[in-house]
Amino acid sequence: MRIFCRYSLQLILSHQSRVLCYLNSCSFISAAVMQFNRRWKFGWGRFSEVDLFTDRHESNAETLSQAIRAAASEEPDADGSVLFGQLKGTVVGLRYYSGVVNQGEMVGLVRQPQNPYDRNAVMVANIYGNQVGHIKKELAAAMAYIMDNNLAKVEGVVFSGTKNTYTMPVMLSFWGKEESKNSVLEQMSRRGYKLNTEGGKLKGTPCTILKNAFDNLFEGLMESKDGEKEAAVSVATPLLLHQKQALSWMCARENKAALPPFWEKRGELYYNTLTCFSAKELPERVRGGILADDMGLGKTLTVIALILTNFHKGKPLPVEKCVSRRVLQSFQAICFMSNLFSPITKCVKIIDLYALGAEGSVLFEDLDFAAALSGSTSGTGSKKKKTDKKSSLTQNDLKARTTLIICPLSVLSNWLDQFEQHMDPNVKLNVYLYYGPERNRSKKFLSSQDVVITTIYTNVLQRSLIPLHGISWLRVVLDEGHIIRNPNAQMSKAVLDLKAQRRWILSGTPIQNSVRDLWMLVAFLGLKPFDTREWWNRVIQRPVTQGDRAGLQHLQTLVKCITLRRTKNSEVNGRPLVSLPEKKVYVEQVELSQPEREEYELARTEGKNTIGRYVAEGTVLRNYADVLAILMRLRQHCCHPDLLAKMSSDLATPAELRERLIEKLRLVLASGSDEECSVCLDSVRLPVITHCAHVYCRPCIAQVISTSGQVAHCPLCRGEIKTSELVEFPQEEMEEENITKPERWRTSSKVQALMGNLLRLRSKDSSIKCLVVSQFTRFLTILETPLREHGFSFVRLDGTMTQKKRTQVIQEFQSSAADSPTIVLLSLKAGGVGLNLTAASHVFLMDPAWNPATEEQCIDRCHRLGQKRKVVVTKFIVKDSVEENMVKIQRKKQDLMEKAFGSTNTDRKTSRIDDIVALMEL
DNA sequence: ACCGCCGGGTGCC
DNA sequence: ACCGCCGGGTGCC
């Protein structure tokens, strides 16, 4: 193991400059690191592991697996790859390695630049990273250049002769970017290898069929998941039928020893039907999955029930107080187990104490035991392997007690509330909120908790998660799993590295944009072999993106196996899952007043001219920030004239350029509108603006720059970009802005429309509570004045508020007290999903959003479980304005989002331009 | 014979 | 490898 680590690290280091090779190697090694039965011939490793590490990573607290994982996850997407051709090659040296392969099995090819016999060496390995042999040296010499220079990715399939003792043939496929094709063919032919470019054509499937199939990926996931389970007695809230079903499914996923998808038993061997790999050992099953129920179906409650109901061996979690007969029995079962398998009698003693209902505080005083509890599993590989083989838990595994819940800040308080609400009050559950500067970081302490809740926010995360990495969790629950969609994000990497027996992802929106998003989820769940990027790309992602039906089918199978999803509209036995009150959506047209209309038309004509010019010149994307600014101004006109910020004049010194860029970035961000990053196709995080005025997430664009070699180009306009020229939004300014407000307040048509509605409602029924939603936080500020004037009691929720303040505000609003606020001024994106505002039954959407899903989410904050009244949604749309066009585009946009996984970057760019043309009626 | 031929030793990169 | 290749032994048939 040690030698292996050194070897792999050296491999990494020796090729830092050659990106593909480095990635290739690592993606394999990540899989290979789990393997210990290999006979490594290479004994060179003069450096210590730490030395090697600090060379590449600043922090030496990182673990080996973290680095390898990090590298593995950087394997580029295969989306745009084309097949250059195929070539029959030879694998030699079979007799020196233990790795075996089957007929038709996929193998990986890994460069071994440090091989002492041949620096061109190309290793052949199976999906677990076990070496099978080498590519014959002449061919390896031809391949090395191509692999090292990222000209092509080479993949192998062993098609015959697998029983050979010495050599066997392998079919090599060369994949890469179209522009590298000729160069690769030429390189190979120069060395006397002719790639067969025929017959490799994939039969394309019409996009529409694919799209529908993809839409249906999460449909029908209820089937064959029936069966119900009652929650443990410590859960006070009775579960609804569908929640019992979910609990039953989740327990089964945690306890049952079913084979993971695509594995079957063939004789003595376990066989992977996709890669044709087989192994003697039972493949490690995934204990966990994705709970992708719609919001409001009670995912939180279900997970709480799971935590309390399914401790080790399917027994309920032993909790303090209220020591029922049932709980005692489960303790004894554990004691019995421990006695059988463990020489550590301390463990038994401690569990005995638990069984007697002793105080929690005295239980973990023994330091040795605590250390054993929190002990890292790295280095215990052989033990782990034994576990897998027997498919039973080791005594060490049975010690894990704690469930770690990772959630966005916005739902943190919700978890605490829900625990409070759903627990039997006579039962003491140790729930620790791992948050804030004075959190308790002791491993001993943390691993003695029943539940640790933490947030996954910002850059603090990497540092703050480190104590969490030293702990062997019983279970890790990732709430809002799509927050780790971007595999390059630091927090995604940190999350992948947590050690846990069981892993769950909760998500209301499992696939937002593409297959790509799924990888991170699959990797988190540890679904082998797809936790290695190469295998995911080869077996799932590329086939699906290139329209291969089988690929899509595999994806569907995969998702079905690990996902439970019900929607608000799902039915069980012909009856709806939950009966939500009716929801009605009205659009109220707003007519602008004469002066407003004049101002609007002025701005529109001017904007139309400008944009028309860009369109004619074909420079829309180069001037994208300008275009956005124009659209933004028109949208602001529709709401209130005071929303329009003064534009800075056009100047060009560096400092002023910077100012202007910041100004543009401000326009995009400060309004709260939903700008998407063209790299990750998600809302921008850590926004930066390029000199060509396009906004991206900083990590995304940094990735683009670092992988583009000498000169990097803006993904949107192809203008040259440099890291040094990325402009960030100055932190102080994020909160500023609200100061400059008016001595003389004035109204607007939209304000009038809202106030009319609110007053009418109040006179009809003063107990009705409302959400007033806008993308413009300044509009919310403007609305405060008339609300106050008319004596409305209101609260405000926007992105700038601290968690504490937020919780307080929500509590105030949800209260049924007579003097409680009746209105929430809500910024569209504030808090993200999960907010519970069921006290409100009327929603006023002041301005249309680009993304209709955002609006839906907002409405769902009150139209969800717990809503007693009929929900009425009113959307204000200004007649004859950009807003009307936005509504039209919303539908089209929805379509585009759904099929985005199949579209190219060019498609997305043209769709943006089309949007803009349509908006401006050009 | 500065060759051919024979047969043993040997074998990934 | 039931091969190819290498290099030493050998030398009309």
Side-chain angles (χ1 to χ4, degrees):
Chain A
M1 178 59 192
R2 176 140 309 205
I3 289 165
F4 171 67
C5 295
R6 286 178 182 166
Y7 164 69
S8 56
L9 282 167
Q10 202 166 28
L11 198 62
I12 292 166
L13 286 167
S14 64
H15 261 254
Q16 281 179 60
S17 54
R18 299 183 166 186
V19 176
L20 181 69
C21 165
Y22 159 62
L23 298 177
N24 280 348
S25 316
C26 293
S27 58
F28 263 98
I29 285 153
S30 129
V33 81
M34 297 303 181
Q35 293 294 318
F36 307 97
N37 56 351
R38 175 162 345 171
R39 296 174 305 175
W40 284 92
K41 283 182 88 179
F42 314 112
W44 67 77
R46 299 189 312 281
F47 316 111
S48 81
E49 284 154 25
V50 174
D51 285 346
L52 286 166
F53 247 137
T54 44
D55 198 338
R56 246 193 79 74
H57 301 272
E58 296 79 4
S59 160
N60 59 8
E62 273 181 293
T63 64
L64 172 67
S65 65
Q66 203 170 341
I68 288 172
R69 280 286 208 169
S73 65
E74 279 163 31
E75 160 122 2
D77 282 334
D79 290 11
S81 293
V82 294
L83 180 63
F84 296 162
Q86 294 183 313
L87 178 68
K88 198 172 141 180
T90 309
V91 185
V92 295
L94 298 183
R95 65 168 146 156
Y96 298 96
Y97 306 99
S98 58
V100 279
V101 287
N102 299 307
Q103 170 115 213
E105 180 168 332
M106 297 180 178
V107 290
L109 302 163
V110 186
R111 279 279 290 118
Q112 266 181 347
Q114 293 296 324
N115 188 304
Y117 304 99
D118 182 0
R119 57 185 186 83
N120 291 325
V122 176
M123 160 179 138
V124 180
N126 66 24
I127 59 164
Y128 277 3
N130 281 350
Q131 181 160 6
V132 173
H134 277 106
I135 292 293
K136 207 168 156 49
K137 67 171 180 293
E138 295 79 10
L139 179 53
M143 286 164 61
Y145 176 84
I146 285 163
M147 293 173 77
D148 292 351
N149 289 286
N150 201 358
L151 295 172
K153 177 98 188 60
V154 191
E155 299 175 353
V157 174
V158 175
F159 55 90
S160 68
T162 53
K163 282 181 296 222
N164 297 3
T165 325
Y166 304 101
T167 68
M168 66 182 173
V170 60
M171 185 56 86
L172 301 172
S173 305
F174 289 67
W175 296 82
K177 293 195 186 109
E178 186 63 55
E179 58 260 37
S180 312
K181 181 172 178 174
N182 286 337
S183 156
V184 168
L185 294 181
E186 193 193 317
Q187 286 292 335
M188 293 303 291
S189 80
R190 193 181 301 167
R191 301 241 183 194
Y193 294 100
K194 208 169 173 71
L195 263 64
N196 179 8
T197 49
E198 262 137 73
K201 278 240 170 77
L202 287 161
K203 37 195 178 347
T205 311
C207 197
T208 46
I209 296 174
L210 260 185
K211 179 184 169 297
N212 292 338
F214 200 80
D215 285 348
N216 294 336
L217 204 54
F218 284 86
E219 292 298 313
L221 292 180
M222 285 264 304
E223 300 157 24
S224 77
K225 282 170 185 168
D226 44 1
E228 299 155 34
K229 191 176 173 79
E230 294 291 338
V233 285
S234 45
V235 183
T237 311
L239 298 190
L240 298 173
L241 178 66
H242 73 275
Q243 291 163 346
K244 287 182 197 166
Q245 290 176 337
L247 181 61
S248 158
W249 177 73
M250 292 177 94
C251 290
R253 290 233 29 109
E254 289 192 346
N255 304 338
K256 271 213 298 211
L259 283 173
F262 313 119
W263 290 87
E264 50 186 61
K265 192 150 198 245
R266 293 194 178 173
E268 288 298 294
L269 296 174
Y270 297 93
Y271 183 77
N272 185 300
T273 54
L274 284 192
T275 60
C276 300
F277 171 79
S278 70
K280 283 203 193 78
E281 302 89 28
L282 185 70
E284 207 178 310
R285 70 205 159 90
V286 180
R287 298 164 155 269
I290 305 173
L291 180 58
D293 281 350
D294 257 1
M295 276 175 44
L297 293 185
K299 289 194 288 287
T300 309
L301 171 57
T302 310
V303 169
I304 291 172
L306 178 73
I307 292 169
L308 291 163
T309 309
N310 198 43
F311 198 51
H312 295 297
K313 297 274 154 190
K315 296 285 169 24
L317 178 75
V319 280
E320 289 175 52
K321 298 271 163 75
C322 188
V323 185
S324 71
R325 188 156 295 270
R326 201 166 141 208
V327 174
L328 258 173
Q329 275 166 3
S330 76
F331 278 125
Q332 280 156 1
I334 296 166
C335 296
F336 175 68
M337 293 281 305
S338 314
N339 256 328
L340 262 185
F341 297 117
S342 167
I344 309 174
T345 46
K346 268 176 199 162
C347 172
V348 179
K349 190 180 83 201
I350 284 156
I351 291 168
D352 270 338
L353 279 174
Y354 250 120
L356 296 170
E359 287 293 314
S361 53
V362 302
L363 294 180
F364 290 94
E365 270 175 10
D366 188 302
L367 277 170
D368 290 345
F369 176 56
L373 249 187
S374 60
S376 116
T377 51
S378 66
T380 59
S382 52
K383 222 182 270 171
K384 200 178 172 199
K385 225 194 108 207
K386 214 186 286 169
T387 314
D388 295 346
K389 199 171 181 176
K390 291 192 174 158
S391 165
S392 66
L393 293 165
T394 62
Q395 167 264 328
N396 213 27
D397 289 332
L398 286 170
K399 279 189 210 161
R401 175 178 188 88
T402 319
T403 295
L404 174 69
I405 296 171
I406 304 172
C407 63
L409 185 62
S410 56
V411 294
L412 207 140
S413 64
N414 183 248
W415 274 99
L416 293 174
D417 290 349
Q418 301 262 315
F419 269 108
E420 186 95 355
Q421 196 182 322
H422 300 306
M423 287 290 303
D424 181 335
N426 296 317
V427 158
K428 184 167 175 283
L429 189 74
N430 290 314
V431 179
Y432 184 70
L433 180 57
Y434 185 78
Y435 180 73
E438 68 286 344
R439 72 190 84 178
N440 187 338
R441 291 179 169 79
S442 147
K443 282 183 193 175
K444 173 185 158 190
F445 171 77
L446 290 172
S447 46
S448 69
Q449 299 299 304
D450 296 312
V451 177
V452 172
I453 306 180
T454 191
T455 173
I456 188 172
Y457 238 142
T458 68
N459 29 11
V460 192
L461 174 109
Q462 306 127 37
R463 214 162 292 127
S464 68
L465 265 186
I466 283 168
L468 303 182
H469 280 120
I471 293 168
S472 298
W473 303 100
L474 171 66
R475 191 188 278 115
V476 173
V477 176
L478 203 58
D479 192 6
E480 295 308 331
H482 56 263
I483 46 184
I484 59 154
R485 214 173 336 167
N486 178 359
N488 297 322
Q490 287 295 318
M491 63 181 183
S492 302
K493 292 172 185 170
V495 164
L496 278 187
D497 225 38
L498 292 164
K499 288 188 274 289
Q501 293 173 26
R502 318 174 186 180
R503 295 160 189 274
W504 287 100
I505 293 165
L506 310 185
S507 177
T509 47
I511 295 191
Q512 288 214 333
N513 280 324
S514 73
V515 214
R516 230 187 278 220
D517 300 345
L518 261 176
W519 178 72
M520 198 57 208
L521 305 186
V522 167
F524 171 73
L525 294 177
L527 200 68
K528 289 180 192 325
F530 305 119
D531 53 339
T532 302
R533 192 63 194 243
E534 162 156 3
W535 299 108
W536 171 259
N537 283 347
R538 270 179 77 169
V539 181
I540 305 282
Q541 183 165 316
R542 192 180 55 215
V544 170
T545 51
Q546 297 193 349
D548 177 45
R549 245 178 237 262
L552 190 72
Q553 216 155 46
H554 295 147
L555 178 59
Q556 259 164 331
T557 308
L558 187 92
V559 169
K560 267 199 177 127
C561 285
I562 55 171
T563 309
L564 180 65
R565 169 162 174 83
R566 284 82 54 88
T567 65
K568 272 193 286 196
N569 308 318
S570 296
E571 293 183 352
V572 198
N573 310 332
R575 283 167 56 193
L577 229 49
V578 282
S579 45
L580 278 181
E582 190 187 357
K583 174 182 86 180
K584 281 207 163 132
V585 182
Y586 300 98
V587 172
E588 185 168 325
Q589 280 203 336
V590 177
E591 296 256 15
L592 291 182
S593 68
Q594 194 54 36
E596 280 170 347
R597 174 55 67 182
E598 278 164 21
E599 271 190 76
Y600 179 87
E601 287 304 326
L602 209 65
R604 192 177 86 94
T605 314
E606 194 188 315
K608 201 168 163 175
N609 288 340
T610 311
I611 296 177
R613 197 170 66 242
Y614 292 147
V615 172
E617 290 168 355
T619 56
V620 174
L621 289 166
R622 273 175 204 282
N623 295 292
Y624 196 60
D626 246 358
V627 173
L628 273 183
I630 290 166
L631 292 173
M632 180 70 68
R633 262 173 281 168
L634 292 179
R635 289 159 64 198
Q636 290 168 331
H637 268 295
C638 289
C639 291
H640 198 281
D642 289 345
L643 287 177
L644 289 139
K646 266 184 285 160
M647 295 315 235
S648 51
S649 51
D650 288 10
L651 291 162
T653 70
E656 281 155 350
L657 174 66
R658 197 185 132 80
E659 255 323 298
R660 272 178 65 196
L661 289 171
I662 290 174
E663 184 60 35
K664 287 179 179 177
L665 189 56
R666 188 204 325 276
L667 263 166
V668 175
L669 300 172
S671 64
S673 80
D674 193 14
E675 178 62 2
E676 103 183 345
C677 163
S678 304
V679 180
C680 64
L681 303 176
D682 200 352
S683 306
V684 278
R685 285 202 180 80
L686 304 174
V688 289
I689 191 163
T690 60
H691 270 206
C692 50
H694 296 108
V695 179
Y696 302 96
C697 313
R698 176 174 273 282
C700 292
I701 198 67
Q703 174 81 8
V704 169
I705 294 175
S706 72
T707 53
S708 351
Q710 296 274 301
V711 181
H713 298 281
C714 172
L716 278 171
C717 70
R718 307 306 296 166
E720 196 175 318
I721 50 173
K722 292 180 188 148
T723 311
S724 59
E725 290 178 353
L726 297 177
V727 177
E728 265 175 31
F729 203 73
Q731 205 60 47
E732 339 75 82
E733 290 194 38
M734 292 295 261
E735 283 120 46
E736 173 247 318
E737 195 72 45
N738 288 343
I739 340 159
T740 56
K741 271 305 103 184
E743 322 76 49
R744 280 206 315 275
W745 186 85
R746 50 176 167 163
T747 189
S748 75
S749 300
K750 232 182 214 179
V751 174
Q752 290 304 106
L754 172 71
M755 292 313 295
N757 274 279
L758 291 177
L759 290 167
R760 204 174 324 120
L761 269 179
R762 185 167 66 178
S763 65
K764 208 169 74 187
D765 180 352
S766 61
S767 73
I768 289 178
K769 295 196 177 195
C770 306
L771 304 184
V772 175
V773 186
S774 172
Q775 299 172 72
F776 306 100
T777 49
R778 271 153 63 214
F779 193 31
L780 298 178
T781 310
I782 289 169
L783 290 171
E784 290 179 13
T785 307
L787 288 179
R788 243 180 243 114
E789 246 169 43
H790 289 93
F792 282 101
S793 164
F794 62 90
V795 286
R796 179 174 168 138
L797 263 179
D798 64 46
T800 65
M801 296 166 74
T802 63
Q803 180 55 30
K804 215 173 171 178
K805 181 89 180 134
R806 241 179 250 215
T807 317
Q808 187 196 324
V809 160
I810 293 166
Q811 260 168 17
E812 257 181 81
F813 180 73
Q814 288 288 87
S815 149
S816 51
D819 59 344
S820 63
T822 56
I823 293 170
V824 186
L825 292 175
L826 184 68
S827 95
L828 186 71
K829 292 213 300 173
V833 285
L835 275 188
N836 190 353
L837 297 170
T838 44
S841 60
H842 283 63
V843 183
F844 295 98
L845 298 172
M846 301 307 296
D847 34 82
W850 286 107
N851 182 354
T854 324
E855 290 182 0
E856 274 312 307
Q857 264 177 18
C858 219
I859 297 167
D860 282 346
R861 278 166 208 177
C862 75
H863 192 239
R864 59 185 284 168
L865 227 61
Q867 178 58 261
K868 299 282 184 288
R869 296 176 188 245
K870 213 172 100 174
V871 170
V872 180
V873 181
T874 307
K875 297 184 178 186
F876 292 112
I877 302 293
V878 169
K879 209 180 159 204
D880 298 322
S881 77
V882 70
E883 287 191 347
E884 272 192 341
N885 294 332
M886 280 177 73
V887 174
K888 284 180 203 152
I889 289 171
Q890 274 188 354
R891 274 179 222 112
K892 209 181 85 189
K893 180 107 179 161
Q894 184 88 57
D895 283 357
L896 271 172
M897 295 284 276
E898 278 163 8
K899 65 183 183 211
F901 77 95
S903 66
T904 62
N905 212 9
T906 328
D907 288 346
R908 277 193 289 275
K909 280 189 219 168
T910 45
S911 89
R912 276 167 184 245
I913 297 171
D914 289 347
D915 281 357
I916 289 158
V917 169
L919 276 173
M920 297 306 288
E921 297 169 355
L922 280 164

